[in-house]
PDB file of all heavy atoms in Angstrom:
ATOM      1  N   GLY W   3       0.780  -1.227   0.000  1.00 98.00           N
ATOM      2  CA  GLY W   3       0.000   0.000   0.000  1.00 98.00           C
ATOM      3  C   GLY W   3       0.810   1.274   0.000  1.00 98.00           C
ATOM      4  O   GLY W   3       0.237   2.362  -0.110  1.00 98.00           O
ATOM      5  N   GLY W   4       2.117   1.167   0.124  1.00 98.00           N
ATOM      6  CA  GLY W   4       2.945   2.352   0.101  1.00 98.00           C
ATOM      7  C   GLY W   4       3.024   2.947  -1.286  1.00 98.00           C
ATOM      8  O   GLY W   4       2.572   2.358  -2.269  1.00 98.00           O
ATOM      9  N   GLY W   5       3.594   4.134  -1.355  1.00 98.00           N
ATOM     10  CA  GLY W   5       3.730   4.804  -2.629  1.00 98.00           C
ATOM     11  C   GLY W   5       4.152   6.239  -2.460  1.00 98.00           C
ATOM     12  O   GLY W   5       4.554   6.665  -1.377  1.00 98.00           O
ATOM     13  N   LEU W   6       4.060   6.987  -3.546  1.00 98.00           N
ATOM     14  CA  LEU W   6       4.409   8.403  -3.565  1.00 98.00           C
ATOM     15  C   LEU W   6       3.134   9.228  -3.528  1.00 98.00           C
ATOM     16  O   LEU W   6       2.221   9.000  -4.332  1.00 98.00           O
ATOM     17  CB  LEU W   6       5.219   8.731  -4.821  1.00 98.00           C
ATOM     18  CG  LEU W   6       5.576  10.190  -5.063  1.00 98.00           C
ATOM     19  CD1 LEU W   6       6.482  10.711  -3.952  1.00 98.00           C
ATOM     20  CD2 LEU W   6       6.247  10.337  -6.419  1.00 98.00           C
ATOM     21  N   VAL W   7       3.079  10.177  -2.610  1.00 98.00           N
ATOM     22  CA  VAL W   7       1.886  10.994  -2.454  1.00 98.00           C
ATOM     23  C   VAL W   7       2.282  12.424  -2.106  1.00 98.00           C
ATOM     24  O   VAL W   7       3.326  12.660  -1.501  1.00 98.00           O
ATOM     25  CB  VAL W   7       0.954  10.401  -1.368  1.00 98.00           C
ATOM     26  CG1 VAL W   7       1.625  10.454   0.005  1.00 98.00           C
ATOM     27  CG2 VAL W   7      -0.388  11.088  -1.350  1.00 98.00           C
ATOM     28  N   GLN W   8       1.452  13.368  -2.510  1.00 98.00           N
ATOM     29  CA  GLN W   8       1.675  14.769  -2.171  1.00 98.00           C
ATOM     30  C   GLN W   8       1.316  15.030  -0.715  1.00 98.00           C
ATOM     31  O   GLN W   8       0.464  14.353  -0.135  1.00 98.00           O
ATOM     32  CB  GLN W   8       0.831  15.679  -3.064  1.00 98.00           C
ATOM     33  CG  GLN W   8       1.229  15.686  -4.530  1.00 98.00           C
ATOM     34  CD  GLN W   8       2.438  16.550  -4.795  1.00 98.00           C
ATOM     35  OE1 GLN W   8       2.784  17.414  -3.987  1.00 98.00           O
ATOM     36  NE2 GLN W   8       3.089  16.338  -5.920  1.00 98.00           N
ATOM     37  N   ALA W   9       1.966  16.014  -0.114  1.00 98.00           N
ATOM     38  CA  ALA W   9       1.618  16.419   1.239  1.00 98.00           C
ATOM     39  C   ALA W   9       0.133  16.733   1.325  1.00 98.00           C
ATOM     40  O   ALA W   9      -0.427  17.378   0.438  1.00 98.00           O
ATOM     41  CB  ALA W   9       2.445  17.626   1.658  1.00 98.00           C
ATOM     42  N   GLY W  10      -0.492  16.255   2.392  1.00 98.00           N
ATOM     43  CA  GLY W  10      -1.918  16.423   2.563  1.00 98.00           C
ATOM     44  C   GLY W  10      -2.736  15.264   2.040  1.00 98.00           C
ATOM     45  O   GLY W  10      -3.938  15.179   2.316  1.00 98.00           O
ATOM     46  N   GLY W  11      -2.104  14.366   1.323  1.00 98.00           N
ATOM     47  CA  GLY W  11      -2.785  13.221   0.765  1.00 98.00           C
ATOM     48  C   GLY W  11      -2.926  12.080   1.744  1.00 98.00           C
ATOM     49  O   GLY W  11      -2.541  12.181   2.910  1.00 98.00           O
ATOM     50  N   SER W  12      -3.462  10.971   1.259  1.00 98.00           N
ATOM     51  CA  SER W  12      -3.737   9.811   2.102  1.00 98.00           C
ATOM     52  C   SER W  12      -3.252   8.524   1.460  1.00 98.00           C
ATOM     53  O   SER W  12      -3.181   8.403   0.236  1.00 98.00           O
ATOM     54  CB  SER W  12      -5.242   9.687   2.360  1.00 98.00           C
ATOM     55  OG  SER W  12      -5.757  10.808   3.051  1.00 98.00           O
ATOM     56  N   LEU W  13      -2.929   7.571   2.304  1.00 98.00           N
ATOM     57  CA  LEU W  13      -2.601   6.218   1.890  1.00 98.00           C
ATOM     58  C   LEU W  13      -3.154   5.252   2.923  1.00 98.00           C
ATOM     59  O   LEU W  13      -3.286   5.606   4.101  1.00 98.00           O
ATOM     60  CB  LEU W  13      -1.094   6.002   1.773  1.00 98.00           C
ATOM     61  CG  LEU W  13      -0.344   6.636   0.604  1.00 98.00           C
ATOM     62  CD1 LEU W  13       1.153   6.462   0.806  1.00 98.00           C
ATOM     63  CD2 LEU W  13      -0.778   6.015  -0.713  1.00 98.00           C
ATOM     64  N   ARG W  14      -3.446   4.043   2.499  1.00 98.00           N
ATOM     65  CA  ARG W  14      -3.818   2.993   3.429  1.00 98.00           C
ATOM     66  C   ARG W  14      -2.879   1.810   3.250  1.00 98.00           C
ATOM     67  O   ARG W  14      -2.816   1.214   2.175  1.00 98.00           O
ATOM     68  CB  ARG W  14      -5.263   2.537   3.251  1.00 98.00           C
ATOM     69  CG  ARG W  14      -5.687   1.547   4.350  1.00 98.00           C
ATOM     70  CD  ARG W  14      -7.172   1.350   4.435  1.00 98.00           C
ATOM     71  NE  ARG W  14      -7.630   0.182   3.695  1.00 98.00           N
ATOM     72  CZ  ARG W  14      -8.670  -0.560   4.052  1.00 98.00           C
ATOM     73  NH1 ARG W  14      -9.372  -0.248   5.142  1.00 98.00           N
ATOM     74  NH2 ARG W  14      -9.034  -1.587   3.317  1.00 98.00           N
ATOM     75  N   LEU W  15      -2.174   1.481   4.300  1.00 98.00           N
ATOM     76  CA  LEU W  15      -1.262   0.357   4.289  1.00 98.00           C
ATOM     77  C   LEU W  15      -1.969  -0.895   4.793  1.00 98.00           C
ATOM     78  O   LEU W  15      -2.814  -0.827   5.684  1.00 98.00           O
ATOM     79  CB  LEU W  15      -0.043   0.630   5.168  1.00 98.00           C
ATOM     80  CG  LEU W  15       0.731   1.919   4.892  1.00 98.00           C
ATOM     81  CD1 LEU W  15       1.951   1.984   5.790  1.00 98.00           C
ATOM     82  CD2 LEU W  15       1.118   2.023   3.426  1.00 98.00           C
ATOM     83  N   SER W  16      -1.599  -2.025   4.224  1.00 98.00           N
ATOM     84  CA  SER W  16      -2.139  -3.305   4.646  1.00 98.00           C
ATOM     85  C   SER W  16      -1.017  -4.239   5.057  1.00 98.00           C
ATOM     86  O   SER W  16       0.052  -4.235   4.459  1.00 98.00           O
ATOM     87  CB  SER W  16      -2.945  -3.960   3.520  1.00 98.00           C
ATOM     88  OG  SER W  16      -4.055  -3.175   3.155  1.00 98.00           O
ATOM     89  N   CYS W  17      -1.268  -5.022   6.071  1.00 97.00           N
ATOM     90  CA  CYS W  17      -0.335  -6.043   6.539  1.00 97.00           C
ATOM     91  C   CYS W  17      -1.090  -7.357   6.584  1.00 97.00           C
ATOM     92  O   CYS W  17      -1.991  -7.526   7.415  1.00 97.00           O
ATOM     93  CB  CYS W  17       0.201  -5.665   7.917  1.00 97.00           C
ATOM     94  SG  CYS W  17       1.146  -6.962   8.748  1.00 97.00           S
ATOM     95  N   ILE W  18      -0.741  -8.266   5.690  1.00 96.00           N
ATOM     96  CA  ILE W  18      -1.424  -9.545   5.600  1.00 96.00           C
ATOM     97  C   ILE W  18      -0.565 -10.627   6.232  1.00 96.00           C
ATOM     98  O   ILE W  18       0.597 -10.797   5.865  1.00 96.00           O
ATOM     99  CB  ILE W  18      -1.742  -9.900   4.140  1.00 96.00           C
ATOM    100  CG1 ILE W  18      -2.597  -8.807   3.496  1.00 96.00           C
ATOM    101  CG2 ILE W  18      -2.461 -11.242   4.064  1.00 96.00           C
ATOM    102  CD1 ILE W  18      -2.849  -9.017   2.018  1.00 96.00           C
ATOM    103  N   ALA W  19      -1.140 -11.350   7.158  1.00 93.00           N
ATOM    104  CA  ALA W  19      -0.428 -12.416   7.854  1.00 93.00           C
ATOM    105  C   ALA W  19      -0.667 -13.753   7.175  1.00 93.00           C
ATOM    106  O   ALA W  19      -1.753 -14.017   6.653  1.00 93.00           O
ATOM    107  CB  ALA W  19      -0.875 -12.489   9.309  1.00 93.00           C
ATOM    108  N   SER W  20       0.353 -14.596   7.201  1.00 92.00           N
ATOM    109  CA  SER W  20       0.240 -15.920   6.600  1.00 92.00           C
ATOM    110  C   SER W  20      -0.659 -16.842   7.406  1.00 92.00           C
ATOM    111  O   SER W  20      -1.215 -17.799   6.873  1.00 92.00           O
ATOM    112  CB  SER W  20       1.626 -16.549   6.447  1.00 92.00           C
ATOM    113  OG  SER W  20       2.247 -16.709   7.712  1.00 92.00           O
ATOM    114  N   GLY W  21      -0.788 -16.550   8.696  1.00 84.00           N
ATOM    115  CA  GLY W  21      -1.623 -17.335   9.579  1.00 84.00           C
ATOM    116  C   GLY W  21      -2.580 -16.451  10.355  1.00 84.00           C
ATOM    117  O   GLY W  21      -2.629 -15.240  10.162  1.00 84.00           O
ATOM    118  N   SER W  22      -3.306 -17.068  11.253  1.00 85.00           N
ATOM    119  CA  SER W  22      -4.298 -16.351  12.041  1.00 85.00           C
ATOM    120  C   SER W  22      -3.644 -15.360  12.995  1.00 85.00           C
ATOM    121  O   SER W  22      -2.621 -15.649  13.607  1.00 85.00           O
ATOM    122  CB  SER W  22      -5.147 -17.341  12.834  1.00 85.00           C
ATOM    123  OG  SER W  22      -6.054 -16.666  13.682  1.00 85.00           O
ATOM    124  N   ILE W  23      -4.256 -14.192  13.125  1.00 86.00           N
ATOM    125  CA  ILE W  23      -3.800 -13.206  14.100  1.00 86.00           C
ATOM    126  C   ILE W  23      -4.782 -13.081  15.260  1.00 86.00           C
ATOM    127  O   ILE W  23      -4.611 -12.228  16.128  1.00 86.00           O
ATOM    128  CB  ILE W  23      -3.577 -11.817  13.463  1.00 86.00           C
ATOM    129  CG1 ILE W  23      -4.891 -11.252  12.916  1.00 86.00           C
ATOM    130  CG2 ILE W  23      -2.518 -11.893  12.373  1.00 86.00           C
ATOM    131  CD1 ILE W  23      -4.790  -9.795  12.494  1.00 86.00           C
ATOM    132  N   ARG W  24      -5.784 -13.927  15.274  1.00 85.00           N
ATOM    133  CA  ARG W  24      -6.819 -13.835  16.302  1.00 85.00           C
ATOM    134  C   ARG W  24      -6.268 -14.028  17.698  1.00 85.00           C
ATOM    135  O   ARG W  24      -6.796 -13.463  18.665  1.00 85.00           O
ATOM    136  CB  ARG W  24      -7.924 -14.850  16.022  1.00 85.00           C
ATOM    137  CG  ARG W  24      -8.836 -14.480  14.865  1.00 85.00           C
ATOM    138  CD  ARG W  24      -9.809 -15.578  14.536  1.00 85.00           C
ATOM    139  NE  ARG W  24      -9.130 -16.747  13.957  1.00 85.00           N
ATOM    140  CZ  ARG W  24      -9.756 -17.835  13.539  1.00 85.00           C
ATOM    141  NH1 ARG W  24     -11.067 -17.937  13.661  1.00 85.00           N
ATOM    142  NH2 ARG W  24      -9.067 -18.836  13.019  1.00 85.00           N
ATOM    143  N   ARG W  25      -5.223 -14.823  17.835  1.00 85.00           N
ATOM    144  CA  ARG W  25      -4.635 -15.098  19.138  1.00 85.00           C
ATOM    145  C   ARG W  25      -3.470 -14.174  19.477  1.00 85.00           C
ATOM    146  O   ARG W  25      -2.878 -14.303  20.546  1.00 85.00           O
ATOM    147  CB  ARG W  25      -4.174 -16.552  19.216  1.00 85.00           C
ATOM    148  CG  ARG W  25      -5.311 -17.550  19.073  1.00 85.00           C
ATOM    149  CD  ARG W  25      -4.816 -18.970  19.257  1.00 85.00           C
ATOM    150  NE  ARG W  25      -5.875 -19.940  19.041  1.00 85.00           N
ATOM    151  CZ  ARG W  25      -6.758 -20.315  19.947  1.00 85.00           C
ATOM    152  NH1 ARG W  25      -6.697 -19.803  21.171  1.00 85.00           N
ATOM    153  NH2 ARG W  25      -7.700 -21.195  19.659  1.00 85.00           N
ATOM    154  N   ILE W  26      -3.150 -13.270  18.579  1.00 86.00           N
ATOM    155  CA  ILE W  26      -2.075 -12.316  18.819  1.00 86.00           C
ATOM    156  C   ILE W  26      -2.651 -11.085  19.503  1.00 86.00           C
ATOM    157  O   ILE W  26      -3.514 -10.409  18.950  1.00 86.00           O
ATOM    158  CB  ILE W  26      -1.379 -11.923  17.509  1.00 86.00           C
ATOM    159  CG1 ILE W  26      -0.766 -13.164  16.851  1.00 86.00           C
ATOM    160  CG2 ILE W  26      -0.312 -10.864  17.770  1.00 86.00           C
ATOM    161  CD1 ILE W  26      -0.172 -12.905  15.489  1.00 86.00           C
ATOM    162  N   ASN W  27      -2.154 -10.799  20.692  1.00 88.00           N
ATOM    163  CA  ASN W  27      -2.713  -9.698  21.465  1.00 88.00           C
ATOM    164  C   ASN W  27      -2.486  -8.346  20.792  1.00 88.00           C
ATOM    165  O   ASN W  27      -3.418  -7.559  20.631  1.00 88.00           O
ATOM    166  CB  ASN W  27      -2.142  -9.676  22.874  1.00 88.00           C
ATOM    167  CG  ASN W  27      -2.786  -8.604  23.730  1.00 88.00           C
ATOM    168  OD1 ASN W  27      -3.998  -8.410  23.700  1.00 88.00           O
ATOM    169  ND2 ASN W  27      -1.972  -7.899  24.508  1.00 88.00           N
ATOM    170  N   THR W  28      -1.234  -8.081  20.415  1.00 95.00           N
ATOM    171  CA  THR W  28      -0.908  -6.755  19.901  1.00 95.00           C
ATOM    172  C   THR W  28      -0.166  -6.822  18.571  1.00 95.00           C
ATOM    173  O   THR W  28       0.814  -7.549  18.429  1.00 95.00           O
ATOM    174  CB  THR W  28      -0.052  -5.982  20.916  1.00 95.00           C
ATOM    175  OG1 THR W  28      -0.723  -5.956  22.180  1.00 95.00           O
ATOM    176  CG2 THR W  28       0.167  -4.551  20.444  1.00 95.00           C
ATOM    177  N   MET W  29      -0.659  -6.055  17.611  1.00 95.00           N
ATOM    178  CA  MET W  29       0.011  -5.854  16.344  1.00 95.00           C
ATOM    179  C   MET W  29       0.418  -4.390  16.263  1.00 95.00           C
ATOM    180  O   MET W  29      -0.267  -3.521  16.803  1.00 95.00           O
ATOM    181  CB  MET W  29      -0.902  -6.194  15.175  1.00 95.00           C
ATOM    182  CG  MET W  29      -1.383  -7.635  15.140  1.00 95.00           C
ATOM    183  SD  MET W  29      -0.036  -8.803  14.770  1.00 95.00           S
ATOM    184  CE  MET W  29       0.399  -8.301  13.105  1.00 95.00           C
ATOM    185  N   GLY W  30       1.510  -4.137  15.582  1.00 96.00           N
ATOM    186  CA  GLY W  30       1.988  -2.771  15.507  1.00 96.00           C
ATOM    187  C   GLY W  30       2.514  -2.389  14.138  1.00 96.00           C
ATOM    188  O   GLY W  30       2.914  -3.245  13.347  1.00 96.00           O
ATOM    189  N   TRP W  31       2.475  -1.099  13.882  1.00 98.00           N
ATOM    190  CA  TRP W  31       3.126  -0.498  12.724  1.00 98.00           C
ATOM    191  C   TRP W  31       4.302   0.336  13.209  1.00 98.00           C
ATOM    192  O   TRP W  31       4.169   1.112  14.163  1.00 98.00           O
ATOM    193  CB  TRP W  31       2.166   0.385  11.928  1.00 98.00           C
ATOM    194  CG  TRP W  31       1.231  -0.363  11.034  1.00 98.00           C
ATOM    195  CD1 TRP W  31      -0.063  -0.693  11.285  1.00 98.00           C
ATOM    196  CD2 TRP W  31       1.519  -0.858   9.718  1.00 98.00           C
ATOM    197  NE1 TRP W  31      -0.608  -1.363  10.220  1.00 98.00           N
ATOM    198  CE2 TRP W  31       0.344  -1.482   9.236  1.00 98.00           C
ATOM    199  CE3 TRP W  31       2.646  -0.838   8.899  1.00 98.00           C
ATOM    200  CZ2 TRP W  31       0.265  -2.079   7.989  1.00 98.00           C
ATOM    201  CZ3 TRP W  31       2.571  -1.435   7.647  1.00 98.00           C
ATOM    202  CH2 TRP W  31       1.398  -2.046   7.212  1.00 98.00           C
ATOM    203  N   TYR W  32       5.421   0.168  12.550  1.00 98.00           N
ATOM    204  CA  TYR W  32       6.636   0.912  12.842  1.00 98.00           C
ATOM    205  C   TYR W  32       7.123   1.561  11.555  1.00 98.00           C
ATOM    206  O   TYR W  32       6.703   1.187  10.459  1.00 98.00           O
ATOM    207  CB  TYR W  32       7.723  -0.010  13.392  1.00 98.00           C
ATOM    208  CG  TYR W  32       7.378  -0.658  14.716  1.00 98.00           C
ATOM    209  CD1 TYR W  32       6.459  -1.700  14.783  1.00 98.00           C
ATOM    210  CD2 TYR W  32       7.969  -0.225  15.898  1.00 98.00           C
ATOM    211  CE1 TYR W  32       6.137  -2.289  15.995  1.00 98.00           C
ATOM    212  CE2 TYR W  32       7.654  -0.814  17.113  1.00 98.00           C
ATOM    213  CZ  TYR W  32       6.737  -1.847  17.149  1.00 98.00           C
ATOM    214  OH  TYR W  32       6.422  -2.434  18.353  1.00 98.00           O
ATOM    215  N   ARG W  33       8.019   2.523  11.695  1.00 98.00           N
ATOM    216  CA  ARG W  33       8.610   3.125  10.511  1.00 98.00           C
ATOM    217  C   ARG W  33      10.059   3.486  10.768  1.00 98.00           C
ATOM    218  O   ARG W  33      10.470   3.698  11.906  1.00 98.00           O
ATOM    219  CB  ARG W  33       7.828   4.363  10.059  1.00 98.00           C
ATOM    220  CG  ARG W  33       7.903   5.552  11.007  1.00 98.00           C
ATOM    221  CD  ARG W  33       6.989   6.662  10.526  1.00 98.00           C
ATOM    222  NE  ARG W  33       7.048   7.837  11.386  1.00 98.00           N
ATOM    223  CZ  ARG W  33       6.245   8.886  11.288  1.00 98.00           C
ATOM    224  NH1 ARG W  33       5.302   8.910  10.345  1.00 98.00           N
ATOM    225  NH2 ARG W  33       6.377   9.916  12.114  1.00 98.00           N
ATOM    226  N   GLN W  34      10.806   3.554   9.694  1.00 98.00           N
ATOM    227  CA  GLN W  34      12.207   3.928   9.777  1.00 98.00           C
ATOM    228  C   GLN W  34      12.552   4.840   8.614  1.00 98.00           C
ATOM    229  O   GLN W  34      12.460   4.438   7.455  1.00 98.00           O
ATOM    230  CB  GLN W  34      13.112   2.700   9.773  1.00 98.00           C
ATOM    231  CG  GLN W  34      14.567   3.013  10.018  1.00 98.00           C
ATOM    232  CD  GLN W  34      15.381   1.777  10.335  1.00 98.00           C
ATOM    233  OE1 GLN W  34      14.964   0.661  10.051  1.00 98.00           O
ATOM    234  NE2 GLN W  34      16.537   1.974  10.937  1.00 98.00           N
ATOM    235  N   ALA W  35      12.928   6.061   8.942  1.00 97.00           N
ATOM    236  CA  ALA W  35      13.351   7.032   7.955  1.00 97.00           C
ATOM    237  C   ALA W  35      14.868   6.999   7.842  1.00 97.00           C
ATOM    238  O   ALA W  35      15.554   6.579   8.776  1.00 97.00           O
ATOM    239  CB  ALA W  35      12.875   8.426   8.342  1.00 97.00           C
ATOM    240  N   PRO W  36      15.415   7.443   6.721  1.00 92.00           N
ATOM    241  CA  PRO W  36      16.871   7.449   6.561  1.00 92.00           C
ATOM    242  C   PRO W  36      17.564   8.194   7.688  1.00 92.00           C
ATOM    243  O   PRO W  36      17.197   9.323   8.021  1.00 92.00           O
ATOM    244  CB  PRO W  36      17.072   8.161   5.220  1.00 92.00           C
ATOM    245  CG  PRO W  36      15.810   7.889   4.465  1.00 92.00           C
ATOM    246  CD  PRO W  36      14.733   7.915   5.507  1.00 92.00           C
ATOM    247  N   GLY W  37      18.556   7.557   8.293  1.00 94.00           N
ATOM    248  CA  GLY W  37      19.307   8.168   9.371  1.00 94.00           C
ATOM    249  C   GLY W  37      18.656   8.095  10.731  1.00 94.00           C
ATOM    250  O   GLY W  37      19.237   8.558  11.713  1.00 94.00           O
ATOM    251  N   ASN W  38      17.463   7.535  10.806  1.00 95.00           N
ATOM    252  CA  ASN W  38      16.743   7.447  12.065  1.00 95.00           C
ATOM    253  C   ASN W  38      16.577   6.003  12.526  1.00 95.00           C
ATOM    254  O   ASN W  38      16.699   5.063  11.741  1.00 95.00           O
ATOM    255  CB  ASN W  38      15.361   8.088  11.942  1.00 95.00           C
ATOM    256  CG  ASN W  38      15.419   9.586  11.724  1.00 95.00           C
ATOM    257  OD1 ASN W  38      16.369  10.244  12.143  1.00 95.00           O
ATOM    258  ND2 ASN W  38      14.400  10.125  11.071  1.00 95.00           N
ATOM    259  N   GLN W  39      16.275   5.842  13.809  1.00 96.00           N
ATOM    260  CA  GLN W  39      15.957   4.539  14.349  1.00 96.00           C
ATOM    261  C   GLN W  39      14.530   4.162  13.979  1.00 96.00           C
ATOM    262  O   GLN W  39      13.695   5.019  13.708  1.00 96.00           O
ATOM    263  CB  GLN W  39      16.118   4.530  15.868  1.00 96.00           C
ATOM    264  CG  GLN W  39      17.535   4.729  16.362  1.00 96.00           C
ATOM    265  CD  GLN W  39      17.629   4.662  17.865  1.00 96.00           C
ATOM    266  OE1 GLN W  39      16.728   5.117  18.571  1.00 96.00           O
ATOM    267  NE2 GLN W  39      18.706   4.096  18.356  1.00 96.00           N
ATOM    268  N   ARG W  40      14.267   2.871  13.984  1.00 95.00           N
ATOM    269  CA  ARG W  40      12.912   2.406  13.766  1.00 95.00           C
ATOM    270  C   ARG W  40      12.058   2.795  14.974  1.00 95.00           C
ATOM    271  O   ARG W  40      12.456   2.577  16.120  1.00 95.00           O
ATOM    272  CB  ARG W  40      12.894   0.900  13.556  1.00 95.00           C
ATOM    273  CG  ARG W  40      11.563   0.352  13.070  1.00 95.00           C
ATOM    274  CD  ARG W  40      11.684  -1.116  12.662  1.00 95.00           C
ATOM    275  NE  ARG W  40      12.617  -1.290  11.550  1.00 95.00           N
ATOM    276  CZ  ARG W  40      12.841  -2.446  10.938  1.00 95.00           C
ATOM    277  NH1 ARG W  40      12.185  -3.540  11.324  1.00 95.00           N
ATOM    278  NH2 ARG W  40      13.707  -2.521   9.941  1.00 95.00           N
ATOM    279  N   GLU W  41      10.896   3.374  14.710  1.00 96.00           N
ATOM    280  CA  GLU W  41      10.053   3.869  15.775  1.00 96.00           C
ATOM    281  C   GLU W  41       8.634   3.334  15.654  1.00 96.00           C
ATOM    282  O   GLU W  41       8.148   3.055  14.559  1.00 96.00           O
ATOM    283  CB  GLU W  41      10.017   5.401  15.776  1.00 96.00           C
ATOM    284  CG  GLU W  41       9.407   6.003  14.518  1.00 96.00           C
ATOM    285  CD  GLU W  41       9.311   7.519  14.557  1.00 96.00           C
ATOM    286  OE1 GLU W  41       9.539   8.113  15.631  1.00 96.00           O
ATOM    287  OE2 GLU W  41       8.998   8.125  13.510  1.00 96.00           O
ATOM    288  N   LEU W  42       7.983   3.230  16.791  1.00 96.00           N
ATOM    289  CA  LEU W  42       6.588   2.802  16.822  1.00 96.00           C
ATOM    290  C   LEU W  42       5.696   3.906  16.280  1.00 96.00           C
ATOM    291  O   LEU W  42       5.806   5.065  16.677  1.00 96.00           O
ATOM    292  CB  LEU W  42       6.173   2.453  18.246  1.00 96.00           C
ATOM    293  CG  LEU W  42       4.690   2.120  18.450  1.00 96.00           C
ATOM    294  CD1 LEU W  42       4.339   0.802  17.769  1.00 96.00           C
ATOM    295  CD2 LEU W  42       4.358   2.055  19.933  1.00 96.00           C
ATOM    296  N   VAL W  43       4.801   3.545  15.387  1.00 98.00           N
ATOM    297  CA  VAL W  43       3.815   4.469  14.849  1.00 98.00           C
ATOM    298  C   VAL W  43       2.473   4.268  15.533  1.00 98.00           C
ATOM    299  O   VAL W  43       1.837   5.218  15.988  1.00 98.00           O
ATOM    300  CB  VAL W  43       3.660   4.302  13.328  1.00 98.00           C
ATOM    301  CG1 VAL W  43       2.549   5.206  12.789  1.00 98.00           C
ATOM    302  CG2 VAL W  43       4.972   4.600  12.624  1.00 98.00           C
ATOM    303  N   ALA W  44       2.021   3.021  15.587  1.00 98.00           N
ATOM    304  CA  ALA W  44       0.728   2.710  16.173  1.00 98.00           C
ATOM    305  C   ALA W  44       0.676   1.250  16.576  1.00 98.00           C
ATOM    306  O   ALA W  44       1.327   0.408  15.971  1.00 98.00           O
ATOM    307  CB  ALA W  44      -0.405   3.020  15.193  1.00 98.00           C
ATOM    308  N   GLY W  45      -0.120   0.958  17.599  1.00 97.00           N
ATOM    309  CA  GLY W  45      -0.332  -0.407  18.033  1.00 97.00           C
ATOM    310  C   GLY W  45      -1.803  -0.651  18.290  1.00 97.00           C
ATOM    311  O   GLY W  45      -2.548   0.280  18.601  1.00 97.00           O
ATOM    312  N   ILE W  46      -2.206  -1.907  18.159  1.00 97.00           N
ATOM    313  CA  ILE W  46      -3.602  -2.270  18.399  1.00 97.00           C
ATOM    314  C   ILE W  46      -3.668  -3.636  19.061  1.00 97.00           C
ATOM    315  O   ILE W  46      -2.975  -4.569  18.658  1.00 97.00           O
ATOM    316  CB  ILE W  46      -4.430  -2.237  17.097  1.00 97.00           C
ATOM    317  CG1 ILE W  46      -5.912  -2.506  17.387  1.00 97.00           C
ATOM    318  CG2 ILE W  46      -3.871  -3.212  16.059  1.00 97.00           C
ATOM    319  CD1 ILE W  46      -6.820  -2.198  16.208  1.00 97.00           C
ATOM    320  N   THR W  47      -4.492  -3.763  20.091  1.00 95.00           N
ATOM    321  CA  THR W  47      -4.672  -5.024  20.790  1.00 95.00           C
ATOM    322  C   THR W  47      -5.815  -5.813  20.180  1.00 95.00           C
ATOM    323  O   THR W  47      -6.567  -5.320  19.340  1.00 95.00           O
ATOM    324  CB  THR W  47      -4.964  -4.800  22.278  1.00 95.00           C
ATOM    325  OG1 THR W  47      -6.266  -4.213  22.421  1.00 95.00           O
ATOM    326  CG2 THR W  47      -3.926  -3.891  22.913  1.00 95.00           C
ATOM    327  N   SER W  48      -5.955  -7.052  20.631  1.00 91.00           N
ATOM    328  CA  SER W  48      -7.026  -7.905  20.126  1.00 91.00           C
ATOM    329  C   SER W  48      -8.407  -7.369  20.481  1.00 91.00           C
ATOM    330  O   SER W  48      -9.387  -7.671  19.787  1.00 91.00           O
ATOM    331  CB  SER W  48      -6.868  -9.325  20.660  1.00 91.00           C
ATOM    332  OG  SER W  48      -6.897  -9.343  22.074  1.00 91.00           O
ATOM    333  N   SER W  49      -8.485  -6.582  21.541  1.00 91.00           N
ATOM    334  CA  SER W  49      -9.753  -6.002  21.953  1.00 91.00           C
ATOM    335  C   SER W  49     -10.049  -4.673  21.275  1.00 91.00           C
ATOM    336  O   SER W  49     -11.120  -4.099  21.474  1.00 91.00           O
ATOM    337  CB  SER W  49      -9.787  -5.812  23.470  1.00 91.00           C
ATOM    338  OG  SER W  49      -8.810  -4.890  23.888  1.00 91.00           O
TER     339      SER W  49
END
């Protein structure tokens, strides 16, 4: 779902798992920009 977009625009990223995620409590999105450490963007629990 990534790509090139103008400032102010929108994108929707998808993460597809090979197996079930129903039993996984927390899934997260992280990002890493050039020269930076990987950082947490968002997390979501099973609830």
Side-chain angles (χ1 to χ4, degrees):
L6 175 63
V7 65
Q8 293 281 341
S12 298
L13 287 172
R14 187 165 96 148
L15 307 184
S16 298
C17 170
I18 302 175
S20 61
S22 176
I23 63 170
R24 286 174 291 182
R25 298 184 184 276
I26 299 174
N27 184 42
T28 306
M29 299 291 296
W31 281 99
Y32 297 74
R33 68 185 181 188
Q34 187 166 19
N38 293 332
Q39 294 182 324
R40 191 171 298 185
E41 63 177 350
L42 174 68
V43 176
I46 185 168
T47 69
S48 59
S49 64

